[in-house]
């Protein structure tokens, strides 16, 4: 099939790499000025500002059978204009909800899915009232365009609230969240095809450093039947609500076995990259299967699998000589704490996987050193 991907970053790259093997052909829709190095050579790149939405853009994209996304921050009107001509999956409505933390949390609440206590605020008075209600520490996040801890403030006291309150006239709408004293962070990646067939990867346990995902491990340890059931219910409620098509990623807080949703991503997710090398159908292949109405493939690894991100650095050749590591490099320039690649690992034993992940982490990011 011909598939157009909105976005041209590493997720688009990995979708296309998986799709080429399946015989699909790709075009990429980039915003003006968006970096496209990740997808060069994988299909034509079309710039969104050079075509009128609708038919002209559909023509420029090469009459795709399906349009999909690698990110939630996309122009929804543009997706709607394309949906007259071909399938858009996930739907513009699902993407619109997931690109705004306020809308997303309100929807979760309406579906009876637990989140952190939250309030959407637009001015200094509503900010103060919300922080006073949820208490300190309070997480404050912009409703749109914030990810990997960007556009976020952790308020510890009234002085910090006063500083942020002064800035409110220049800030976009924010969500104020009460702090959850979670034991760990998990994520759930699920896929639903056009025909409604679903598949769920095992819950992943994720560790972050400085607000950015560092490692993922599957299956997460010590998941009780009740916790798994909660995760399954959350996923099914969301998939049913949207008649969702594609991969949906659900970030969760686990507080003594009780789950709350932190965030949704209507796309493949960094915490699912382990699936590329674990003897299962990868999240990238399953997304493509789902949007082309193919039954999802196997999601249950035989052993244990993990992933460590390469943040602002390459992998030393010595690390890559190990027979259990697989490098995925995005062909991006290295700067700051940018995600430029990841290393996947597998092991027949959980303990061995954890030791290997810790050893890789110590080698890549010496203890205490900033990322
Ligand atoms: P986010 O951008 O919403 O994924 O937040 C980045 C990270 O901040 C999360 O992975 C958590 O570690 C932490 N965090 C966010 N919101 C909360 C919250 N309400 N309570 C506790 N920790 C949080």
């Amino acid at each position: 099939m011909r598939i157009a991907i909105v976005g041209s970053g590493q997720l688009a790259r990995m979708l296309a790499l998986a799709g080429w093997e399946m015989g699909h052909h790709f075009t990429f829709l980039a915003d003006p000025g968006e970096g496209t190095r990740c997808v060069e050579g994988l299909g034509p790149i079309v710039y969104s500002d050079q075509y009128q939405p609708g038919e002209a853009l559909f023509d420029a994209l090469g009459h795709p059978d399906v349009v999909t996304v690698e990110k939630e921050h996309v122009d929804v009107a543009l997706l709607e204009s394309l949906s007259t001509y071909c399938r858009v999956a996930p739907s513009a409505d699902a993407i619109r909800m997931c690109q705004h933390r306020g809308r997303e949390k309100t929807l979760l609440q309406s579906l009876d899915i637990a989140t952190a206590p939250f309030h959407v605020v637009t001015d200094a008075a509503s900010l103060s009232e919300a922080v006073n209600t949820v208490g300190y520490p309070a997480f404050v996040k912009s409703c749109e365009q914030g990810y990997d801890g960007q556009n976020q403030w952790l308020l510890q006291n009234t002085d910090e609230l006063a500083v942020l309150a002064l800035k409110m006239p220049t800030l976009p709408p924010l969500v104020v969240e009460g702090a959850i004293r979670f034991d760990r962070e998990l994520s759930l990646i699920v896929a639903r095809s056009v025909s409604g067939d679903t598949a769920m990867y095992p819950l992943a346990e994720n560790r972050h450093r400085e607000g950015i995902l560092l490692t993922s491990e599957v299956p997460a340890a010590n998941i009780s039947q009740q916790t798994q059931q909660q995760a399954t219910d959350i996923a099914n409620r969301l998939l049913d609500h949207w008649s969702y098509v594609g991969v949906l990623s659900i970030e969760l807080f686990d507080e003594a076995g009780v789950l709350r949703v932190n965030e949704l991503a209507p796309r493949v997710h960094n915490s699912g990259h382990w699936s590329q090398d674990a003897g299962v159908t990868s999240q990238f292949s399953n997304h493509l299967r789902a949007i082309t109405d193919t039954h999802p493939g196997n999601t249950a690894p035989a052993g244990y699998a993990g992933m460590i991100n390469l943040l602002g650095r390459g992998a030393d050749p010595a690390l890559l000589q190990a027979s259990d590591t697989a490098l995925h490099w995005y062909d991006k320039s290295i700067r700051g704490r940018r995600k430029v690649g990841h290393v996947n690992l597998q092991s027949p034993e959980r303990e061995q996987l954890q030791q290997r992940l810790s050893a890789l982490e110590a080698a890549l990011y010496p203890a205490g050193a900033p990322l």
Side-chain angles (χ1 to χ4, degrees):
M1 281 200 185
R2 285 183 299 270
I3 298 174
I5 302 179
V6 183
S8 53
Q10 69 260 25
L11 299 179
R13 173 190 180 86
M14 289 185 273
L15 281 166
L17 288 172
W20 271 96
E21 287 191 345
M22 299 156 86
H24 299 307
H25 293 272
F26 292 87
T27 44
F28 304 91
L29 183 62
D31 287 330
E34 182 176 346
T36 55
R37 234 172 98 173
C38 287
V39 297
E40 268 158 32
L42 295 172
I45 300 166
V46 170
Y47 285 91
S48 58
D49 61 337
Q50 292 177 2
Y51 300 92
Q52 289 297 318
E55 193 174 0
L57 185 59
F58 180 67
D59 285 345
L61 288 170
H63 290 214
D65 300 292
V66 194
V67 173
T68 191
V69 299
E70 64 136 16
K71 57 184 177 181
E72 51 275 36
H73 298 296
V74 299
D75 180 346
V76 170
L78 185 147
L79 288 180
E80 278 164 349
S81 80
L82 289 169
S83 69
T84 317
Y85 300 92
C86 64
R87 177 184 303 146
V88 173
S91 68
D93 181 46
I95 293 166
R96 195 176 68 82
M97 282 290 172
C98 295
Q99 61 185 206
H100 187 283
R101 289 182 197 268
R103 281 199 291 264
E104 180 179 287
K105 285 182 194 294
T106 305
L107 171 73
L108 289 164
Q109 205 172 39
S110 76
L111 295 175
D112 216 12
I113 296 173
T115 64
F118 74 94
H119 302 271
V120 177
V121 301
T122 50
D123 56 22
S126 55
L127 172 71
S128 299
E129 197 184 328
V131 173
N132 287 331
T133 308
V134 301
Y136 293 100
F139 283 81
V140 184
K141 307 173 182 178
S142 67
C143 283
E144 290 179 284
Q145 294 289 357
Y147 60 93
D148 287 346
Q150 291 175 357
N151 286 334
Q152 291 193 12
W153 300 263
L154 179 57
L155 302 182
Q156 300 283 5
N157 52 47
T158 49
D159 289 348
E160 291 178 6
L161 168 61
V163 171
L164 186 60
L166 277 179
K167 289 192 194 147
M168 276 311 276
T170 61
L171 292 175
L174 305 173
V175 168
V176 175
E177 287 178 30
I180 302 303
R181 315 237 172 246
F182 55 79
D183 303 312
R184 58 180 173 170
E185 295 186 70
L186 303 173
S187 59
L188 181 62
I189 294 177
V190 294
R192 183 178 179 280
S193 73
V194 177
S195 296
D197 299 318
T198 62
M200 221 167 268
Y201 289 92
L203 280 160
E205 179 163 343
N206 303 320
R207 288 182 41 250
H208 297 79
R209 204 157 132 190
E210 295 166 32
I212 303 182
L213 181 70
L214 187 59
T215 63
S216 293
E217 188 190 314
V218 289
N222 303 320
I223 299 290
S224 69
Q225 230 180 340
Q226 290 92 324
T227 305
Q228 182 60 53
Q229 191 55 51
Q230 274 182 66
T232 305
D233 285 349
I234 290 170
N236 285 336
R237 245 173 272 175
L238 287 163
L239 293 177
D240 288 351
H241 171 76
W242 281 309
S243 297
Y244 192 88
V245 176
V247 159
L248 174 69
S249 305
I250 307 171
E251 294 180 26
L252 299 154
F253 295 142
D254 176 3
E255 210 182 352
V258 177
L259 301 181
R260 292 178 200 249
V261 173
N262 176 37
E263 208 175 6
L264 304 175
R267 55 169 168 79
V268 288
H269 194 260
N270 195 172
S271 67
H273 290 358
W274 61 269
S275 62
Q276 291 168 307
D277 295 294
V280 296
T281 307
S282 77
Q283 61 166 347
F284 303 100
S285 298
N286 261 338
H287 180 70
L288 298 170
R289 287 169 76 124
I291 66 174
T292 57
D293 201 14
T294 308
H295 198 285
N298 174 33
T299 52
Y304 298 87
M307 183 264 350
I308 182 161
N309 269 332
L310 296 170
L311 302 171
R313 55 155 303 152
D316 303 326
L319 298 178
L320 303 176
Q321 299 297 331
S323 56
D324 61 350
T325 57
L327 171 70
H328 295 261
W329 187 249
Y330 309 152
D331 211 8
K332 284 169 145 180
S333 54
I334 298 178
R335 61 177 132 87
R337 301 185 299 156
R338 198 177 197 202
K339 288 178 189 167
V340 289
H342 65 271
V343 175
N344 283 339
L345 282 169
Q346 304 85 50
S347 168
E349 309 273 345
R350 181 187 298 285
E351 218 169 82
Q352 193 187 350
L353 176 80
Q354 289 173 337
Q355 279 167 5
R356 291 287 295 125
L357 274 176
S358 302
L360 279 183
E361 184 178 338
L364 290 167
Y365 310 103
L371 291 178

